[in-house]
Amino acid sequence: GWAEAAAVLVAAAPAPVPDEDAGGLFRLWPVLTVVERHGVEEPEVSLDALEALTQRFTAEFAIRPLIARWEEVALARLEVWARHASPHVRRLVSEGTRPRLPWGRALRVRDTARVEGLLDALVDDRSEVVRRSVANHLGDILKEDRERGLALARRWLERDEARRPLVRHGLRAVLKAGDPRALAM
């Protein structure tokens, strides 16, 4: 069954890449595609596999069908992963839930408040790659719902001025467009 196949995929994978290595191993992309295409009906098994595999090469595309099909199960797991020791897993929390992931299928998570809670947990992450993902996610939110994105950016800045570079990166498209509310921030 799928549980046995997923275990083989994880066991055959190389060791996790170092925390500072954001590149990963492109040769694992087909392995992640197998999880994406064949693991949707067993979300817990597939999420376990993605937790292990994303530490070798990003699983941001592979997790999207699981989130779309099993939103509650996936969000519960992502809430745990937001505190994971690996920055690769924490980055997956943000990248995997981005509404407009480049080259990925669009994702409409119904519980946007929970996704914002995930981003709140990651906005001050010690890893630059995680914080950059959060900023890019903010940019996606602004494209989907400018009011919600501006409110999130404002809230982040009100709580900690040190977040200004992250928020500026997230706001870059609306800043270029001259949005007066973004410029005021």
Side-chain angles (χ1 to χ4, degrees):
W2 175 243
E4 294 79 15
V8 169
L9 293 174
V10 171
V17 296
D19 288 352
E20 61 277 358
D21 182 359
L25 303 165
F26 273 91
R27 68 179 182 263
L28 287 180
W29 195 324
V31 172
L32 289 156
T33 301
V34 170
V35 177
E36 178 181 356
R37 292 184 182 167
H38 300 286
V40 175
E41 292 309 315
E42 294 189 47
E44 296 290 353
V45 170
S46 297
L47 289 166
D48 288 344
L50 294 179
E51 179 181 3
L53 293 169
T54 200
Q55 295 179 64
R56 287 120 171 120
F57 184 71
T58 184
E60 63 212 43
F61 298 106
I63 199 169
R64 296 172 83 74
L66 291 167
I67 296 169
R69 172 76 173 83
W70 305 99
E71 183 174 311
E72 174 59 36
V73 171
L75 289 176
R77 182 70 67 96
L78 293 171
E79 288 167 346
V80 172
W81 287 355
R83 298 180 305 278
H84 200 281
S86 170
H88 302 295
V89 177
R90 295 192 311 271
R91 179 181 175 275
L92 177 59
V93 172
S94 176
E95 285 296 297
T97 56
R98 283 181 64 182
R100 293 185 177 200
L101 181 68
W103 307 291
R105 65 186 248 191
L107 182 66
R108 302 289 177 257
V109 176
R110 290 180 301 279
D111 195 342
T112 57
R114 277 180 85 182
V115 172
E116 285 184 23
L118 294 170
L119 298 175
D120 286 340
L122 299 169
V123 69
D124 297 316
D125 197 272
R126 63 188 174 275
S127 169
E128 174 63 29
V129 296
V130 175
R131 291 190 312 274
R132 180 57 59 122
S133 174
V134 171
N136 290 333
H137 194 138
L138 173 60
D140 284 3
I141 291 170
L142 287 158
K143 292 172 189 167
E144 297 285 315
D145 182 344
R146 187 169 291 191
E147 297 306 316
R148 186 167 66 91
L150 289 170
L152 182 59
R154 193 173 303 108
R155 182 166 48 85
W156 283 348
L157 285 175
E158 286 170 357
R159 292 187 181 164
D160 190 344
E161 186 64 27
R163 297 172 175 165
R164 185 163 299 284
L166 179 146
V167 170
R168 185 180 307 119
H169 183 76
L171 292 173
R172 66 193 179 281
V174 293
L175 288 169
K176 286 180 187 175
D179 185 296
R181 296 163 300 173
L183 290 167
M185 280 189 251

